[in-house]
């Protein structure tokens, strides 16, 4: 019999997702961590979350994720957009990115900015509807399936990056 090693990128907390998926995922996580001989956590916050759900700290080894070296500073001009990247799920809290952007462009000299949201997921239609309700749909773009080079350019061209996620295990999106 070999050793069971589990890598955990994120622990779903009770307030993150509703419904049956959340319940099943939390139960599977608890089962998996119980059966694992060693658990690799990708960050200190994920390690803390594992301990919070009752995992023995002696079973956990923290090995921080690393940023892909393809992501580097390019010698290109910034565009007049704010970037926002992440999967379009409620826990990523993209609704607050829309609200922050709405408030920002109300300020003098900020009305020429745009918001570019990169990601895909079940919240896309709700986000499109919310941007229309706020009257900013003409300033909000939804992008998906960007290749690696397009992502590098997206980050480099963005004036700044919004990250309104409610919880991140490591936060690679903003690194």
């Amino acid at each position: 019999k070999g050793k069971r090693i589990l890598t955990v990128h994120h622990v779903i907390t009770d307030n993150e997702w509703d419904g049956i998926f959340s319940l099943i995922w939390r139960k599977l996580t608890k089962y998996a961590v119980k059966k694992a001989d060693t658990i690799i956590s990708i960050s200190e916050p994920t390690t803390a979350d594992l301990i919070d759900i009752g995992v023995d700290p002696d079973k956990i080894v923290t090995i921080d994720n690393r940023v892909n070296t393809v992501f580097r500073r390019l010698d290109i001009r910034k565009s007049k957009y704010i970037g926002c990247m992440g999967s379009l799920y409620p826990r990523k809290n993209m609704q607050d990115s829309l609200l922050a952007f709405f408030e920002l462009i109300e300020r003098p000299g900020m009305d020429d900015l745009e918001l570019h949201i990169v990601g895909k997921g079940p919240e896309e239609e709700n986000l499109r509807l919310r941007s229309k309700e706020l009257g900013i749909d003409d300033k909000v773009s939804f992008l998906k399936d960007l290749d690696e080079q397009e992502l590098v350019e997206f980050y480099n061209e963005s004036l700044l990056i919004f990250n309104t996620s409610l919880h991140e295990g490591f936060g690679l999106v903003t690194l």
Side-chain angles (χ1 to χ4, degrees):
K1 175 183 166 193
K3 296 279 187 182
R4 294 184 188 116
I5 299 173
L6 173 70
T7 302
V8 178
H9 291 264
H10 180 80
V11 176
I12 296 174
T13 58
D14 290 337
N15 61 351
E16 277 188 66
W17 289 342
D18 293 328
I20 191 72
F21 177 77
S22 176
L23 177 67
I24 292 169
W25 191 258
R26 285 195 314 268
K27 293 219 180 277
L28 285 173
T29 299
K30 287 181 181 179
Y31 175 79
V33 298
K34 181 180 176 184
K35 292 291 188 181
D37 297 303
T38 301
I39 300 167
I40 298 172
S41 166
I42 58 96
S43 69
E44 290 299 332
T46 299
T47 297
D49 289 344
L50 286 165
I51 293 168
D52 286 347
I53 65 167
V55 177
D56 178 359
D58 292 334
K59 285 178 68 169
I60 305 170
V61 176
T62 304
I63 302 174
D64 290 330
N65 270 343
R66 297 292 176 239
V67 177
N68 187 332
T69 57
V70 74
F71 291 98
R72 68 205 177 282
R73 189 177 307 269
L74 300 177
D75 188 26
I76 58 176
R77 186 181 178 136
K78 297 286 184 189
S79 294
K80 291 285 237 173
Y81 69 81
I82 294 167
C84 184
M85 184 174 167
S87 55
L88 306 183
Y89 285 87
R91 70 183 175 87
K92 294 298 185 174
N93 199 30
M94 295 290 187
Q95 295 279 348
D96 276 0
S97 292
L98 291 174
L99 291 172
F101 178 72
F102 172 76
E103 291 181 19
L104 180 66
I105 62 173
E106 292 293 308
R107 297 181 181 274
M110 300 289 183
D111 61 336
D112 61 340
L113 292 175
E114 296 176 5
L115 177 64
H116 293 197
I117 298 174
V118 176
K120 55 186 175 181
E123 282 291 293
E124 182 176 343
E125 190 56 35
N126 290 336
L127 294 167
R128 286 181 183 276
L129 289 170
R130 184 66 175 139
S131 69
K132 190 172 184 82
E133 289 169 3
L134 292 168
I136 58 173
D137 54 314
D138 61 326
K139 295 179 170 291
V140 178
S141 300
F142 290 87
L143 309 167
K144 55 182 134 193
D145 300 321
L146 299 184
D147 65 32
E148 206 170 66
Q149 184 58 36
E150 290 169 322
L151 280 175
V152 171
E153 291 168 7
F154 164 78
Y155 278 114
N156 275 270
E157 291 174 354
S158 296
L159 284 175
L160 62 100
I161 300 290
F162 279 167
N163 183 354
T164 53
S165 180
L166 297 172
H167 183 84
E168 288 292 331
F170 193 70
L172 283 174
V173 170
T174 50
L175 288 179

